[in-house]
Amino acid sequence: MKLYGTHGGSGAALLAQAVADAWGISPLPPLERTETGKPFFPKNPQLHFNLSHSGTLVLCALSDRPVGVDIEVMKPRRPALPRQALTQEEYACYQALGGDWPAFYTLWTRKEAWCKYSGLGLGQQWGKTPPEHEHFRSYAGPDWRAAVWGEEPPPEQIIWLKGDHTP
C-alpha cells in the first residue's frame, strides 16, 4: 500500500501522478463507480485506490487490495456534532482522547476510511463503530487528520509529492 498527498490540485491529478509513480501506468485508466459510489478501474480490477479531499488537501491510497482513505481539515463545528455523529463507543473514546476537535477528527477519519474501504459508504455504516483492525492507521498534521484502512500494513508516512509542501 502507498499513500500519496498533495496540498492544492485535484484528486484526478493526484491519482494520475500516484498511479504513474507506483504502477508505471500513464495515462490514467478509465474510471467507473460501483452502485455505492466507490471508484475503480474496470480494465484493471486488480488495482485498488481511494481518494479523499478536504479544503486544499488531497489524499490518495493505492493497493493491490481494497482500501479506503479520508483526510479532513480540522475546523470547529457545532458543539453537538460529536454526540450526533459518533456512536456511544466512539463518543467514549472521543472523551478519553480529550473531547476536543483533534480527537473528533481522528475518530471521524477512521470511520470514513472504514466506510470507504468497505465500499458501502457512510449511509449504510452510520451508527456503526469501526471494528478493531490491524491494517488501519491514523495520520496527523497541525490542522488536519487522516486515516487509511486496508488489507495490508499501511505506510508509516504519507508521500507528499514534489512541488507540494507537507501541510
Side-chain angles (χ1 to χ4, degrees):
M1 178 188 309
K2 288 191 175 187
L3 195 57
Y4 293 87
T6 187
H7 185 265
S10 71
L14 176 62
L15 180 61
Q17 195 170 357
V19 165
D21 177 67
W23 294 323
I25 298 172
S26 184
L28 190 64
L31 299 171
E32 289 186 19
R33 291 188 179 268
T34 65
E35 289 179 10
T36 56
K38 187 170 184 175
F40 69 100
F41 300 124
K43 293 184 180 180
N44 302 88
Q46 75 283 7
L47 303 177
H48 298 266
F49 71 95
N50 201 237
L51 288 166
S52 180
H53 68 278
S54 179
T56 61
L57 298 177
V58 185
L59 196 60
C60 174
L62 301 180
S63 179
D64 61 357
R65 300 176 191 170
V67 65
V69 69
D70 188 46
I71 191 165
E72 297 288 339
V73 172
M74 291 188 300
K75 59 184 176 182
R77 303 221 179 214
R78 295 179 288 111
L81 180 63
R83 178 41 100 190
Q84 295 169 344
L86 302 174
T87 64
Q88 287 184 326
E89 184 179 350
E90 289 169 318
Y91 192 76
C93 186
Y94 160 77
Q95 290 178 313
L97 291 172
D100 57 10
W101 289 115
F104 173 76
Y105 282 103
T106 296
L107 293 166
W108 186 256
T109 57
R110 176 185 174 142
K111 179 177 238 143
E112 283 268 7
W114 170 60
C115 290
K116 293 170 81 175
Y117 156 79
S118 74
L120 298 176
L122 188 57
Q124 293 187 38
Q125 303 286 69
W126 189 264
K128 296 181 183 175
T129 301
E132 292 300 317
H133 187 62
E134 64 182 330
H135 299 310
F136 155 79
R137 184 179 295 256
S138 287
Y139 304 86
D143 66 345
W144 59 270
R145 294 294 183 268
V148 64
W149 194 285
E151 295 181 7
E152 61 184 304
E156 289 190 27
Q157 296 188 6
I158 297 168
I159 301 167
W160 295 99
L161 295 179
K162 290 183 180 183
D164 299 313
H165 64 282
T166 302

